[in-house]
Amino acid sequence: MSVWLPTSPCTPEACAGHEGDTASVPRAVLRLGAAVALILLGILGAPPVRLLPAGPRHAVVRAWSAALVRAFGIRITVHGSPGPGGGRLLVANHISWLDIPLVAAALPCRMLAKSDIRAWPVLGRLAGRAGTLFIERDRIRALPATVEAMTGALLAGDRVTVFPEGSTWCGRAQGTFRRAAFQAALDARVPVQPLRLTYLCRDGNPAGAPAFVGDDPLTASLWRIARARGVRAEVRLLPRIPPGRYGHRRDLAAAAQRAVAGAWSAAAAPDPLPGIPAQPATPSATDRDSANRPAASVHHWVSSSPAAASSLRTPS
């Protein structure tokens, strides 16, 4: 693991417990079976869906993504308006692999994912067919090419989603937004739209079951979510930051982070768990100018692509 990669102090033991009602084992198995069926349907259906006009294609993507989240017994609420179409960079806090279909249920988009996802059984193939943009997180020299690919997608009118924290957090605390991805929005001169993702229990407290943090195995996460009851997911579409308001990616990233943190506070977020501090704002190598691409403007699904499930977490 590279020392410059973002990390999160959250762990499954401290953050991922579920204190609410639990589903029976047969019900959990049925939920997993429904999710697998939907994923296979997404793989088979992606090629023909890609041929549909934008409107029907987006409707199919939203319906499929919402169905996948609901297959695990999770209700979805979306606050805010997506606004007009066109290219934009969507940035959100990162809690779980569920974030991907959750965002797509509100706004079909392309995801920026770690390259390891390509090798994942079933999900890797689905991610590729969904038009995912992949990044080699362990190779800082590959960053300029990734930013260039993102810029091209934005210029083509696609919506591209990234999770700038660079790692998953449990939802009771949040990490610093890394700056590199915001350069693509500056180069393409498109808006940045912050999103706040939240998973809640029936009593309004953060739900631990969806958190996919630390060294949590994917199989354990799947089973934990399938067993949890009474979980709901919220997506808050926050006001867009128009192009030209900020001239440096550092300021743009900070503004987006303030917007997401402000929505968190407005939603009466609880105090962080003991031992889970907010991540310090020390810049990583990807944030420092010394680690930028050689020239000033070199260059975690898509509005023009049938996304199904694309990026998963970017663990430390």
Side-chain angles (χ1 to χ4, degrees), residues 162-202:
V162 300
F163 300 104
E165 291 165 302
S167 185
T168 48
W169 288 65
C170 66
R172 293 177 180 266
Q174 101 179 38
T176 300
F177 277 15
R178 307 293 162 165
R179 309 168 190 170
F182 291 87
Q183 186 63 45
L186 293 175
D187 292 346
R189 301 178 185 275
V190 298
V192 172
Q193 181 158 22
L195 283 72
R196 176 72 201 179
L197 309 181
T198 312
Y199 298 92
L200 301 170
C201 295
R202 284 196 179 101

Side-chain angles (χ1 to χ4, degrees), residues 250-308:
R250 175 190 60 238
D251 302 322
L252 186 55
Q257 182 172 343
R258 286 194 300 270
V260 172
W264 192 35
S265 300
D271 294 332
L273 287 172
I276 308 295
Q279 183 171 341
T282 303
S284 69
T286 53
D287 293 336
R288 294 193 293 265
D289 289 341
S290 60
N292 295 347
R293 19 186 205 297
S297 185
V298 183
H299 318 318
H300 186 153
W301 300 306
V302 195
S303 62
S304 62
S305 177

Side-chain angles (χ1 to χ4, degrees), residues 19-305:
E19 299 179 355
D21 297 334
T22 57
S24 65
V25 170
R27 187 179 186 88
V29 171
L30 287 174
R31 286 178 172 179
L32 289 174
V36 170
L38 282 166
I39 291 172
L40 294 176
L41 178 63
I43 293 175
L44 297 174
V49 169
R50 195 185 297 270
L51 302 177
L52 295 174
R57 183 172 64 243
H58 294 168
V60 170
V61 171
R62 282 194 296 270
W64 182 92
S65 301
L68 182 59
V69 175
R70 288 169 182 158
F72 286 94
I74 297 176
R75 294 182 296 111
I76 302 173
T77 304
V78 179
H79 303 274
S81 170
R88 80 185 78 165
L89 182 68
L90 307 176
V91 295
N93 59 303
H94 201 11
I95 299 173
S96 173
W97 53 268
L98 273 171
D99 298 347
I100 290 86
L102 181 59
V103 171
L107 281 174
C109 56
R110 295 180 80 167
M111 290 283 173
L112 180 65
K114 61 177 185 174
S115 57
D116 306 30
I117 301 299
R118 285 190 180 117
W120 285 27
V122 184
L123 292 178
R125 186 174 181 182
L126 185 56
R129 292 193 175 187
T132 301
L133 300 170
F134 292 101
I135 179 173
E136 298 182 58
R137 297 180 71 241
D138 293 328
R139 292 185 58 232
I140 193 171
R141 293 181 181 275
L143 185 58
T146 301
V147 174
E148 184 177 9
M150 292 175 58
T151 302
L154 293 169
L155 287 171
D158 296 338
R159 292 186 290 249
V160 178
T161 295
V162 300
F163 300 104
E165 291 165 302
S167 185
T168 48
W169 288 65
C170 66
R172 293 177 180 266
Q174 101 179 38
T176 300
F177 277 15
R178 307 293 162 165
R179 309 168 190 170
F182 291 87
Q183 186 63 45
L186 293 175
D187 292 346
R189 301 178 185 275
V190 298
V192 172
Q193 181 158 22
L195 283 72
R196 176 72 201 179
L197 309 181
T198 312
Y199 298 92
L200 301 170
C201 295
R202 284 196 179 101
D203 59 7
N205 287 320
F212 187 41
V213 294
D215 57 358
D216 196 16
L218 179 60
T219 51
S221 175
L222 286 165
W223 184 246
R224 186 173 60 245
I225 294 172
R227 289 296 309 273
R229 293 184 62 185
V231 177
R232 59 187 173 90
E234 290 190 354
V235 182
R236 293 185 180 272
L237 306 176
L238 304 172
R240 298 189 299 174
I241 303 173
R245 176 169 294 180
Y246 299 98
H248 195 284
R249 66 182 184 220
R250 175 190 60 238
D251 302 322
L252 186 55
Q257 182 172 343
R258 286 194 300 270
V260 172
W264 192 35
S265 300
D271 294 332
L273 287 172
I276 308 295
Q279 183 171 341
T282 303
S284 69
T286 53
D287 293 336
R288 294 193 293 265
D289 289 341
S290 60
N292 295 347
R293 19 186 205 297
S297 185
V298 183
H299 318 318
H300 186 153
W301 300 306
V302 195
S303 62
S304 62
S305 177

